[in-house]
Amino acid sequence: VLLSLTLFSLNRKKMNLKSERRGIHVDQSELLCKKGCGYYGNPAWQGFCSKCWREEYHKARQKQIQEDWELAERLQREEEEAYASSQSTQGAQSLTFSKFEEKKTNEKTRKVTTVKKFFTASSRTGAKKAEIQEAKAPSPSINRQASIETDRVSKEFIEFLKTYHKPGQDIYKQCKLFLDTMNHKRDLSIEEQSECAQDFYQNVAEKLQTRWKVPPEKVEKAMDQIEKYIMTRQYKYVFCPETTDDEKKDLAVQKRIRALHWVTPQMLCVPVNEEIPEVSDLVVKAITDIIEMDSKRVPRDKLACITKCSKHIFNAIKITKNEPASADDFLPTLIYIVLKGNPPRLQSNIQYITRFCNPSRLMTGEDGYYFTNLCCAVAFIEKLDAQSLNLSQEDFDRFMTGQTSPKKQESDSFSPDVCLGVKQMYKNLELLSQLNERQERIVNEAKKLEKDLIDWTDGITKEVQDIVEKYPIEIKPKSQALAAIDSENVENDKLPPPLQPQVYAG
């Protein structure tokens, strides 16, 4: 029996050694813009930052416009030649508009970011638009709630602009003009609407700095209020619009996360011990914050939820490891939080922030850093495979299909010949090992506390000694009080003896 237990223990140790691996590592340089400008990049911008992405987008758009015009001129020449050659035939007609569009589509062989097609009318009829709007119309209670929130934000925005005096009036006019322009551009693609919003942010920020000479700190506050005012009004039109595949991506990510419900913290090398009550509370708070992101309407508020979630993660890691968390600790834990929370409309929220947030917040600062890490976490989840979790492909497939789970497989790892008593013994040994680790942690904390108290006492003693040496105490002899005039004790007064009365014969 002892021999079998020894062999079994050795096999378990070998399995544990084989399962050891490095955690998920992402070099900080990978989070930066691939163009090397120093700002944070974003997978939604193909690894570029907001500034570089707009430059690339403009180049691609100008190139596409040029190709469209060249194609239009060539097709126009073909149409004129066809019309001239078939002028005598009654049935011959010029190429129709649909023919032109068909040729244009067939000639495109590359996927390029395009602007709205110049030569085609919208395929949706007015009746179809009305049907879609009627089908997607929210309930009256939701409309009333949105209207109340919009009115509140408008009043707050007006009160805020009063502190800016003359620039505040110009800012309000610019915002109203932008909202009116956006209302007339509902047929534009979401990318073009995003481009309009980004241009507006940039123009207003430049005017605040150059024309109105507003200090940088006040410019940032003003831009936050402008974003809040504009996006509260535009939210229902630009969040997860029907012209995009955002909803499809949301469903795909949710389905993917549900299929990965079996992933454990150990597989991701997450340095978080949820058995510690304080750590468990922080994990719950982090999940709550990442879920709450969907209830916000302003991009900055959604970013604030991501930042709060990330700070809870850092605190949980710090408590577990008794040391500050590193970037290699943070990203696996963020992936675990996303898998455990399965936030609603995750891709829609990421796309909404990417398209309509003030770009300066995504390019620098802690908000930009945490948002970039969230994008990396989602990309990792979408591509997660057996190798990422250090599993065999067979085990990964069984877990994904629900045939078995890691906990069940762990219980089945014992040999069938091993009796229940031996299994219970190993469970008890594991519990004892955990208790031993907790006891060692408590002892180390007690020793550290004792050392801190001794150091504190020594420090106070040294400070007192230094003060005494710097300002020594001089004890002067007590001065004797002078005797009262009518006092009988006149020995120490150094006065002559009193005159005795004398009798004279008179």
Side-chain angles (χ1 to χ4, degrees):
V1 174
L2 290 175
L3 180 61
S4 62
L5 289 176
T6 304
L7 293 174
F8 180 76
S9 178
L10 289 174
N11 290 331
R12 295 274 290 184
K13 288 182 179 179
K14 288 180 181 179
M15 291 173 60
N16 291 333
L17 289 175
K18 289 181 180 179
S19 63
E20 288 181 359
R21 65 183 181 90
R22 289 185 62 189
I24 300 169
H25 174 74
V26 174
D27 191 358
Q28 293 303 296
S29 61
E30 298 178 12
L31 301 178
L32 300 177
C33 175
K34 66 181 183 181
K35 202 171 182 179
C37 63
Y39 295 119
Y40 290 120
N42 193 317
W45 296 324
Q46 300 178 8
F48 293 102
C49 68
S50 175
K51 182 179 178 182
C52 297
W53 168 248
R54 292 185 68 195
E55 293 176 356
E56 296 295 324
Y57 176 80
H58 280 301
K59 290 179 182 178
R61 186 168 69 171
Q62 293 299 325
K63 183 179 179 181
Q64 186 63 38
I65 291 174
Q66 183 65 27
E67 292 178 355
D68 288 343
W69 278 111
E70 292 177 357
L71 178 62
E73 291 176 356
R74 184 168 61 82
L75 291 176
Q76 181 68 23
R77 289 195 301 269
E78 292 179 0
E79 182 180 357
E80 291 175 356
E81 293 174 0
Y83 179 78
S85 62
S86 59
Q87 194 173 14
S88 58
T89 307
Q90 184 177 0
Q93 296 179 354
S94 63
L95 294 176
T96 61
F97 201 65
S98 60
K99 181 79 172 178
F100 158 72
E101 184 60 25
E102 183 180 354
K103 282 190 176 183
K104 180 176 179 295
T105 305
N106 293 335
E107 196 154 314
K108 289 183 182 179
T109 57
R110 294 171 302 171
K111 290 184 177 180
V112 183
T113 305
T114 60
V115 296
K116 186 175 177 64
K117 296 176 183 178
F118 293 100
F119 307 104
T120 56
S122 175
S123 60
R124 295 176 299 173
T125 61
K128 187 174 181 180
K129 284 184 179 179
E131 292 175 1
I132 293 175
Q133 290 178 357
E134 184 178 356
K136 289 192 171 254
S139 63
S141 61
I142 297 178
N143 281 330
R144 283 196 300 271
Q145 183 178 359
S147 177
I148 292 172
E149 183 177 358
T150 301
D151 293 341
R152 178 181 60 81
V153 171
S154 300
K155 291 179 181 177
E156 292 177 357
F157 185 58
I158 294 173
E159 291 297 323
F160 172 80
L161 291 180
K162 288 181 180 178
T163 61
Y164 283 71
H165 306 294
K166 177 61 176 176
Q169 298 177 4
D170 293 337
I171 292 173
Y172 186 74
K173 291 179 181 178
Q174 293 288 332
C175 293
K176 293 293 290 183
L177 180 61
F178 172 76
L179 290 173
D180 293 339
T181 303
M182 292 297 291
N183 288 333
H184 290 88
K185 292 185 177 182
R186 296 284 177 230
D187 291 336
L188 292 179
S189 66
I190 193 64
E191 287 79 14
E192 291 174 312
Q193 295 185 51
S194 171
E195 188 72 10
C196 293
Q198 299 298 328
D199 289 338
F200 175 74
Y201 290 147
Q202 184 177 356
N203 293 335
V204 173
E206 290 178 355
K207 287 181 180 179
L208 286 170
Q209 293 175 352
T210 58
R211 181 187 299 180
W212 298 315
K213 307 298 181 184
V214 178
E217 61 276 6
K218 295 191 70 175
V219 171
E220 185 176 355
K221 291 182 180 179
M223 294 306 300
D224 289 341
Q225 292 295 328
I226 290 170
E227 177 189 309
K228 182 177 181 181
Y229 173 70
I230 289 174
M231 298 317 301
T232 301
R233 290 177 169 272
Q234 294 293 311
Y235 177 79
K236 62 182 180 180
Y237 304 111
V238 298
F239 182 83
C240 192
E242 61 182 16
T243 56
T244 65
D245 58 350
D246 291 350
E247 186 176 0
K248 182 179 178 181
K249 291 180 179 179
D250 289 334
L251 296 175
V253 170
Q254 280 197 344
K255 184 178 180 181
R256 176 71 171 172
I257 293 177
R258 289 194 190 103
L260 293 169
H261 66 90
W262 48 268
V263 176
T264 62
Q266 292 75 21
M267 293 178 180
L268 296 170
C269 294
V270 175
V272 168
N273 185 4
E274 294 187 66
E275 294 182 0
I276 302 175
E278 190 175 358
V279 174
S280 179
D281 292 340
L282 289 172
V283 170
V284 173
K285 289 180 181 178
I287 294 174
T288 303
D289 288 332
I290 199 69
I291 292 176
E292 188 181 0
M293 173 179 63
D294 186 59
S295 64
K296 305 298 181 181
R297 297 165 66 91
V298 183
R300 180 171 62 90
D301 294 340
K302 292 181 182 292
L303 274 180
C305 292
I306 299 174
T307 301
K308 288 193 295 183
C309 168
S310 302
K311 290 183 176 180
H312 288 318
I313 291 174
F314 272 106
N315 291 332
I317 297 173
K318 182 178 180 181
I319 294 173
T320 301
K321 298 182 64 176
N322 293 323
E323 62 182 16
S326 64
D328 290 339
D329 296 330
F330 170 67
L331 183 57
T333 311
L334 179 60
I335 294 171
Y336 173 67
I337 293 296
V338 173
L339 288 175
K340 195 169 182 179
N342 196 359
R345 299 193 291 185
L346 183 57
Q347 282 288 3
S348 291
N349 283 287
I350 290 177
Q351 292 294 334
Y352 176 68
I353 294 172
T354 301
R355 292 164 180 160
F356 296 101
C357 183
N358 186 1
S360 61
R361 284 192 169 273
L362 301 184
M363 293 163 62
T364 57
E366 62 178 7
D367 288 343
Y369 174 76
Y370 295 139
F371 179 71
T372 303
N373 275 273
L374 177 62
C375 295
C376 292
V378 175
F380 178 85
I381 291 172
E382 291 175 340
K383 299 177 182 178
L384 190 142
D385 55 10
Q387 186 178 2
S388 304
L389 300 175
N390 197 33
L391 296 173
S392 64
Q393 189 62 42
E394 293 77 11
D395 289 342
F396 183 82
D397 293 338
R398 285 200 298 268
F399 295 156
M400 290 295 291
T401 56
Q403 297 177 4
T404 184
S405 65
K407 294 181 179 180
K408 184 177 180 181
Q409 189 183 52
E410 184 178 353
S411 64
D412 293 342
S413 62
F414 292 98
S415 174
D417 299 332
V418 178
C419 64
L420 295 176
V422 174
K423 295 181 181 179
Q424 187 62 41
M425 180 185 68
Y426 276 101
K427 291 182 180 179
N428 293 338
L429 288 174
E430 187 177 357
L431 290 175
L432 288 173
S433 176
Q434 295 176 0
L435 289 174
N436 186 33
E437 291 178 0
R438 294 177 63 182
Q439 184 179 5
E440 290 179 356
R441 186 166 59 249
I442 293 173
V443 171
N444 292 333
E445 290 292 333
K447 290 181 179 178
K448 182 181 177 182
L449 178 61
E450 183 181 7
K451 183 178 180 300
D452 292 341
L453 288 174
I454 294 173
D455 294 342
W456 179 78
T457 304
D458 294 342
I460 295 297
T461 304
K462 188 176 182 304
E463 288 181 6
V464 172
Q465 291 176 352
D466 294 340
I467 293 174
V468 170
E469 292 176 359
K470 187 175 181 180
Y471 306 102
I473 301 176
E474 296 179 1
I475 302 177
K476 297 181 179 180
K478 184 178 180 182
S479 60
Q480 297 179 352
L482 297 176
I485 295 177
D486 58 348
S487 174
E488 296 180 357
N489 184 14
V490 293
E491 296 178 359
N492 297 326
D493 290 345
K494 298 179 180 181
L495 296 174
L499 297 176
Q500 297 293 331
Q502 297 180 2
V503 179
Y504 293 93

